[in-house]
Amino acid sequence: MSIEEVGMGLGNIFGICGSIGIGLGGYAGARLYPNDPRRQFLISGISMVLVVPLFALFVLLPQKLPALVALMLYVIALTVFSAPTWALMQRLVPENLRARTFAVIMLAANLVGMGIGPLIVGMISDTLRPRFGDESLRYAMFAMSFVAICVGYHLLSVRRTVIEDLEEAAQSTPREFSTPQTF
């Protein structure tokens, strides 16, 4: 594929399939299981664990079309967790801290995902280069995809305490969460 094809293809796949994944997660949370956060996080955890085999297909399939289909499914599975997770986060913190909480989480996610993640992939790729040559990046990316299993595990773990956490948040008064107003 040319650089232009890769750019347009990835942009469309991540935009369209990412929207589908977020929509599916939102549908599961709002329509299928509106009062059952445990099931919402079951779906989120399972989708995250599915990320690993789908990403493996994407990076390891030698043909372009099957690899792109695997990428589409990967992006959908990768984004399903978003809607239930962000909705729960908004329910767990008081209104006056919601924007700040979201900003801190997005900052941390971007520092890790866009900062440390590529650095680690590059280091793994450099380590694998003597053995795999130009294919080392493919295997380094595949190795890093196993982080999704950890994410899936933690999403599934949320199910153990989510009901109690929501009850506790509902009983807390905003004063308990107040923050200093001096900046």
Side-chain angles (χ1 to χ4, degrees):
M1 295 177 69
S2 71
I3 295 294
E4 292 82 13
E5 289 175 319
V6 170
M8 288 297 294
L10 290 180
N12 287 326
I13 288 171
F14 276 86
I16 294 167
C17 295
S19 298
I20 291 169
I22 292 169
L24 287 173
Y27 181 80
R31 301 282 184 217
L32 294 179
Y33 308 114
N35 299 315
D36 192 353
R38 287 184 175 138
R39 286 201 181 171
Q40 293 174 15
F41 279 87
L42 177 65
I43 291 170
S44 295
I46 290 171
S47 74
M48 195 54 64
V49 171
L50 288 174
V51 161
V52 175
L54 292 170
F55 192 75
L57 288 173
F58 166 62
V59 297
L60 300 176
L61 283 171
Q63 300 88 12
K64 178 173 76 171
L65 187 58
L68 290 176
V69 170
L71 178 64
M72 290 178 198
L73 296 173
Y74 159 78
V75 171
I76 291 170
L78 181 68
T79 54
V80 163
F81 87 97
S82 298
T85 302
W86 299 128
L88 177 65
M89 179 185 69
Q90 297 297 310
R91 290 174 61 192
L92 286 173
V93 298
E95 290 179 25
N96 64 329
L97 293 178
R98 288 180 179 166
R100 187 176 306 166
T101 301
F102 188 76
V104 168
I105 288 176
M106 291 305 295
L107 174 67
N110 281 293
L111 286 174
V112 172
M114 299 298 232
I116 297 170
L119 175 66
I120 293 171
V121 168
M123 290 168 54
I124 294 170
S125 178
D126 290 345
T127 302
L128 297 176
R129 190 161 183 80
R131 178 168 179 158
F132 296 105
D134 290 341
E135 298 294 312
S136 65
L137 181 59
R138 173 190 312 250
Y139 296 115
M141 290 170 55
F142 173 61
M144 282 300 293
S145 73
F146 284 91
V147 170
I149 292 175
C150 296
V151 174
Y153 169 78
H154 289 290
L155 286 169
L156 292 170
S157 296
V158 167
R159 297 172 56 237
R160 282 186 254 140
T161 62
V162 67
I163 301 296
E164 295 81 14
D165 294 340
L166 287 169
E167 289 171 357
E168 185 179 323
Q171 293 173 359
S172 299
T173 61
R175 183 176 295 150
E176 294 176 39
F177 293 102
S178 66
T179 57
Q181 297 303 316
T182 58
F183 294 100

